[in-house]
Amino acid sequence: MRLGTRVAIVGAGPAGLALANVLQQAGIDCVVVERQSRAYVEARARAGVLEHRTVEFLNDHGLADRLLAEGARHGSCEFRHLGERFSVRYRDLTGGREHHVYPQQFLVRDLISAYLAGGGQLFFSHPAVALDGLDGDRPVLRCQPDGDAEPLELECDFVAGCDGFYGASRQAVPAGRLRAYEKQHEFGWLALLAETPPAGDEIIYALHEDGFAGHMLRTPSVTRFYLQCPVGDHPENWPDQRIWSALHRRLGMTDAELAPGPITEKNVLDMRSFVVEPMQYGRLFLAGDAAHIITPAGGKGMNLALADAEELATRLLAHYRGAGTHALDGYSAACLPRIWQAQEFSHWMLHLLHSPAAGQDDSAFLHRLQLSRLTQLRDSPAYSTMFSDSYVGSSGRPTAH
Ligand code: FAS
């Protein structure tokens, strides 16, 4: 089957779906193709912390109703170390900017519903396998659906590559046209989802000689946890009993404070940071994890993806409203400062939280640096304000072109 559209969007994650909804609302024809099934993408638990500007963007487009009704607002987070604990009240330090906690899969569900309700075309189980003619005026996206469904060809003006780190879009760019910046971090995170109520109403970051532990909220009955672990560790090395014992020890909590419950997800995260420059080639524009990967420290990944979607939508609207392609020429340059600022903050946060690997020559020195950062965060208003501004995210939004 061959279809024509204006914008072909690869990937039904936060970036692709937000872009599709904004274009649809502006009357710009687009089609979304997604490798997985609808059930799969609506069940895939990942992020859960949405920044102020992200919620503002979604709300401006009428896409935040359930998020605002069901999500929880957060304006402070707690740090723990050696029995001491203190909170950073970042809402107060940033003039009211706050986080909303709302599981990513719920947002994906809402964005799919809104797009389909608006008559949007979304092909599930249709992986993109080739993007041709990106340096011409009418590229063609080819999808090879699973099973014996008919192949799909999408002829379009532009392709939005929102298909994540392992997608087809970035791979379609000829060798040598993009430059990748990459860092593999020296520790891993065991990412957990447990059916147990959160132990309090704050995100908790616990520094411990055994390693970092994170207590991240998701819903009233499900909590996400992170445990620092060695690079290359495996979930099988972490039976539930060991997990609960490590969480209690590192967070300084008892069973009474943090009741063990069924652990429904156990993954060792590949702690890598990655940025590709530029984020565009010809008629292809990369957004979200297709262009950059960031560690979950500081909760930036999904927020960056949605910020890219807003930037790209703004520039596509300007293009179709007569601004010509120069609006799109500046897409990558507009996104990259925000992305590198988030990468820098996430890197700083990782080295605030993580115990240096034991046996490292400089581990004692690095541990003293950690303690100094923690003390400044507790005692210095300037330092905690700088942390808060980066943690809750800037308020800057794209300007119309
Ligand atoms: P996504 O990866 O979400 O979506 C890309 C979509 O493209 C997917 O649906 C995929 O199936 C599809 N696709 C791939 N190849 C395709 C092809 N060839 N054709 C068609 N479709 C294709 N971020 C945070 O901010 N906070 C967190 O706490 C956090 N925790 C995380 C925990 C885990 C376990 C993981 C894996 C990630 C976490 N992230 C977190 C980061 C994560 O949320 C991403 O930043 C976010 O999903 C990025 O959104 P997208 O760019 O839309 O990409």
Side-chain angles (χ1 to χ4, degrees), residues 11 14-15 34-35 44 46-47 104 128 162-163 226 288-289 299 301-302:
E34 163 57 46
R35 173 166 62 188
R44 185 174 47 193
R46 280 182 159 176
Q104 175 172 330
C162 305
D163 47 349
Y226 292 118
D289 280 17
M302 178 167 62

Side-chain angles (χ1 to χ4, degrees), residues 86-118:
F86 65 91
S87 291
V88 175
R89 304 196 182 293
Y90 57 86
R91 180 194 289 119
D92 301 344
L93 292 169
T94 58
R97 276 182 274 149
E98 55 192 1
H99 280 128
H100 281 72
V101 173
Y102 189 64
Q104 175 172 330
Q105 67 272 29
F106 290 6
L107 179 63
V108 163
R109 174 202 59 194
D110 299 347
L111 295 174
I112 290 173
S113 304
Y115 181 62
L116 295 179

Side-chain angles (χ1 to χ4, degrees), residues 170-248:
R170 194 178 64 251
Q171 310 308 330
V173 178
R177 306 306 290 264
L178 302 177
R179 178 169 178 191
Y181 298 84
E182 191 160 10
K183 175 166 178 55
Q184 194 68 41
H185 296 282
E186 54 274 24
F187 27 71
W189 273 14
L190 181 65
L192 306 160
L193 270 183
E195 289 175 3
T196 185
D201 57 5
E202 278 187 312
I203 285 179
I204 300 170
Y205 298 102
L207 285 68
H208 192 277
E209 59 186 352
D210 294 354
F212 159 72
H215 163 277
M216 327 309 274
L217 309 152
R218 283 296 181 267
T219 72
S221 58
V222 173
T223 304
R224 180 176 280 290
F225 297 99
Y226 292 118
L227 284 171
Q228 178 181 342
C229 62
V231 174
D233 202 348
H234 291 284
E236 304 83 69
N237 299 334
W238 289 84
D240 291 11
Q241 201 279 326
R242 181 185 176 198
I243 287 173
W244 289 111
S245 153
L247 285 172
H248 287 141

Side-chain angles (χ1 to χ4, degrees), residues 9-17 33-36 40-41 44-50 104 108 123 126-129 131 141 143 161-169 189 191 216 218 224 226 265 267 269 287-306 308:
I9 299 171
V10 192
L17 291 167
V33 295
E34 163 57 46
R35 173 166 62 188
Q36 305 290 355
Y40 181 92
V41 295
R44 185 174 47 193
R46 280 182 159 176
V49 174
L50 291 156
Q104 175 172 330
V108 163
F123 291 87
H126 271 69
V129 294
L131 289 73
L141 177 66
C143 297
C162 305
D163 47 349
F165 185 72
Y166 298 103
S169 299
W189 273 14
M216 327 309 274
R218 283 296 181 267
R224 180 176 280 290
Y226 292 118
E265 187 190 296
N267 287 315
L269 285 190
D289 280 17
H292 43 76
I293 287 286
I294 191 166
T295 71
K300 295 294 176 188
M302 178 167 62
N303 290 288
L304 286 176
L306 289 162
D308 291 351

